[in-house]
């Protein structure tokens, strides 16, 4: 069994940010990267653009090549190492083939994988996903070799609407289905969702909301809980992801949906850190611990872990849950919480729509549809609110007045 002082499980944005921070801090210890794939680090949110032919394979790897890890960052990489067992007490990692390595310190940055529903007929061979480079390659080949005339997308999530868009752009008859009564249920208010749904339906997209998929038949027919039968050439599942933690030994490290970490990215096990979609950190507005699946969050958590592994004590207070996506000529921003509030203001003009949500005088949520230049200030206002220290802010702080002023310049017809 080999020994490495520093090991990083996962070759994604969080792991790469950790390694770069280690080197920037002057840490010269050998680093071993354990990667379950041969692909270099990439942004999973770009996979729909690659699958749809909007970007090249080379444009997927903006963080550099694996060779850069070796030559520029002086890190060793074991490709094809899929962690099967992590003994956090003995500090030993074993892969699916039995290869083992012991470590002094370790970062878990294994990311997340798409969830496959327990629906009869749905297997990883009969449906498509959109998360990894391999997922994108598989869908791209299918679209090129056997262009579908109809498709069903299960899950009206951020990924689901992007997959729907790329299929629709190729002339495919698309049905978007979800258990939730509205699209983007985690990020959009019902009012904002309804506005987006209206525009999607007018653009030719069929919506089946508030239903589940009961079974997928061998000929590709999708049977819904409503009894409706969707005849489709292609089924793509986008119902969410789950942190890759199956290799952890039960009871050795505290977990919830992800590995629980403190502000220094330390887990409950000595010498073991976590970052990215495998980690569960603090959401600033709610104060709750959750997995925040954002590239910027993965980078910040990875950098924080690297600095602390190097002995430079650096806290990371957390992040604000937010998403920005573009689809079907719409730009949507969802930030903070749009479910629990005691004051709301709605505004609209033309094809633009905005909702701001307050709780006890604090701005706690924003929805913007085609908000243009206002999206950036709205997101920053939420961050400032979340980081405000001490005391209750006034009912509408000056920064909120500025945000409202900017919004009203764009959206001059307040809703009643």
């Amino acid at each position: 069994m080999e020994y490495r002082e520093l090991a990083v499980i996962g070759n994604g944005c969080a792991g790469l940010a950790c390694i770069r921070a280690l080197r920037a801090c002057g840490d010269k210890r050998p680093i071993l990267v354990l990667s379950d794939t041969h692909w270099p680090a990439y942004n999973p949110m770009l996979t729909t653009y690659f699958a749809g032919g909007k970007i090249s394979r080379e444009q997927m790897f903006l963080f550099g090549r694996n060779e850069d890890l070796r030559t520029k960052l002086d890190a060793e990489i074991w490709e094809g190492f899929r962690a099967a067992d992590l003994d956090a007490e003995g500090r030993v990692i074993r892969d699916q083939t039995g290869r083992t390595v012991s470590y002094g310190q370790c970062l878990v940055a294994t990311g997340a994988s798409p969830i496959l529903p327990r629906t009869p007929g749905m297997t990883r061979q009969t449906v498509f996903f959109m998360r990894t480079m391999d997922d994108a390659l598989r869908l791209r080949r299918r679209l090129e070799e056997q262009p579908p005339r109809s498709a069903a997308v299960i899950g009206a999530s951020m990924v689901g609407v992007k997959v729907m868009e790329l299929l629709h752009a190729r002339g495919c008859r698309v049905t978007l289905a979800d258990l939730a009564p509205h699209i983007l249920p985690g990020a959009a208010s019902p009012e904002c969702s309804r506005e987006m749904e209206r525009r999607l339906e007018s653009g030719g997209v069929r919506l089946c909301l508030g239903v589940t998929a009961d079974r997928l038949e061998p000929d590709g027919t999708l049977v819904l809980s409503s009894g409706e039968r969707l005849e489709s050439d292609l089924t793509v599942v986008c119902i969410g992801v789950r942190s890759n933690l199956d290799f952890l030994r039960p009871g050795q490290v505290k977990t919830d949906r992800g590995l629980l970490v403190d502000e220094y990215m330390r887990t409950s096990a000595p010498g073991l850190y976590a970052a990215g979609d495998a980690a569960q950190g603090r959401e600033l507005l709610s104060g709750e611990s959750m997995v925040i699946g954002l590239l910027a969050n993965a980078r910040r958590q990875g950098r924080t872990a690297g600095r602390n592994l190097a002995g430079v004590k650096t806290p990371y207070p957390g992040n604000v849950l937010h998403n920005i996506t573009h689809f079907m000529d719409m730009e949507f921003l969802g930030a903070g919480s749009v479910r629990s509030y005691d004051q709301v203001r709605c505004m609209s003009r033309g094809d633009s729509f905005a909702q701001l949500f307050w709780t006890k005088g604090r701005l706690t949520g924003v929805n913007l549809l085609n908000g243009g230049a206002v999206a950036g200030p709205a997101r920053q206002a939420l961050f400032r609110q979340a980081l405000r220290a001490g005391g209750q802010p006034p009912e509408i702080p000056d920064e909120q007045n500025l945000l409202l002023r900017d919004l009203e310049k764009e959206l001059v017809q307040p809703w009643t």
Side-chain angles (χ1 to χ4, degrees), residues 208-283:
C208 290
L209 302 172
V211 298
T212 59
D214 276 1
R215 68 181 182 275
L216 180 64
E217 297 185 343
D219 65 355
T221 299
L222 186 66
V223 182
L224 302 178
S225 57
S226 61
E228 186 172 359
R229 297 172 63 87
L230 299 178
E231 296 182 3
S232 62
D233 302 325
L234 181 75
T235 300
V236 187
V237 176
C238 307
I239 62 171
V241 297
R242 182 182 293 113
S243 297
N244 293 323
L245 302 176
D246 291 345
F247 57 92
L248 295 174
R249 289 193 180 182
Q252 287 193 343
V253 194
K254 291 182 180 179
T255 64
D256 184 23
R257 292 181 180 272
L259 274 162
L260 297 175
V261 295
D262 64 12
E263 60 185 333
Y264 303 105
M265 300 298 107
R266 298 176 300 197
T267 72
S268 62
L272 190 67
Y273 292 66
D277 289 349
Q280 190 167 318
R282 184 168 180 260
E283 203 281 328

Side-chain angles (χ1 to χ4, degrees), residues 97-284:
T97 68
R99 280 189 300 177
T100 59
V101 60
S102 62
Y103 64 87
Q105 294 177 306
C106 176
L107 173 75
V108 175
T110 46
S113 296
I115 297 171
L116 175 66
R118 296 179 179 178
T119 302
M122 285 192 184
T123 68
R124 297 195 178 273
Q125 290 71 47
T126 60
V127 300
F128 289 78
F129 298 95
M130 188 51 57
R131 176 69 183 181
T132 68
M133 188 65 186
D134 290 325
D135 292 334
L137 275 171
R138 181 174 172 238
L139 181 59
R140 181 165 177 163
R141 291 192 191 106
R142 174 67 167 81
L143 297 177
E144 292 172 350
E145 296 171 1
Q146 193 179 354
R149 293 169 298 175
S150 59
V153 178
I154 311 300
S157 60
M158 291 287 175
V159 176
V161 296
K162 294 297 292 183
V163 172
M164 171 273 298
E165 180 187 40
L166 81 86
L167 293 170
H168 183 270
R170 299 176 79 93
C172 189
R173 298 190 309 274
V174 186
T175 299
L176 183 63
D178 200 297
L179 171 63
H182 297 290
I183 69 168
L184 304 180
S189 69
E191 295 81 7
C192 192
S193 291
R194 279 193 288 269
E195 181 60 28
M196 290 186 283
E197 290 159 13
R198 182 187 65 79
R199 299 182 194 189
L200 288 178
E201 289 179 322
S202 66
V205 176
R206 189 156 182 271
L207 300 177
C208 290
L209 302 172
V211 298
T212 59
D214 276 1
R215 68 181 182 275
L216 180 64
E217 297 185 343
D219 65 355
T221 299
L222 186 66
V223 182
L224 302 178
S225 57
S226 61
E228 186 172 359
R229 297 172 63 87
L230 299 178
E231 296 182 3
S232 62
D233 302 325
L234 181 75
T235 300
V236 187
V237 176
C238 307
I239 62 171
V241 297
R242 182 182 293 113
S243 297
N244 293 323
L245 302 176
D246 291 345
F247 57 92
L248 295 174
R249 289 193 180 182
Q252 287 193 343
V253 194
K254 291 182 180 179
T255 64
D256 184 23
R257 292 181 180 272
L259 274 162
L260 297 175
V261 295
D262 64 12
E263 60 185 333
Y264 303 105
M265 300 298 107
R266 298 176 300 197
T267 72
S268 62
L272 190 67
Y273 292 66
D277 289 349
Q280 190 167 318
R282 184 168 180 260
E283 203 281 328
L284 290 173

Side-chain angles (χ1 to χ4, degrees), residues 35 47 51 95 99 140 182 196 279 331 380:
S35 176
T47 51
D95 80 348
R99 280 189 300 177
R140 181 165 177 163
H182 297 290
M196 290 186 283
E331 178 188 68
Q380 290 305 312

Side-chain angles (χ1 to χ4, degrees), residues 285-320:
L285 283 170
S286 66
E288 297 177 2
S289 175
M290 64 177 65
V291 177
I292 302 177
L294 302 172
L295 183 72
N297 188 64
R299 182 182 290 118
R300 288 287 303 276
Q301 286 188 334
R303 185 183 304 135
T304 301
R307 290 181 62 82
N308 286 289
L309 282 163
V312 181
K313 195 170 185 180
T314 306
Y316 175 47
N319 211 314
V320 171

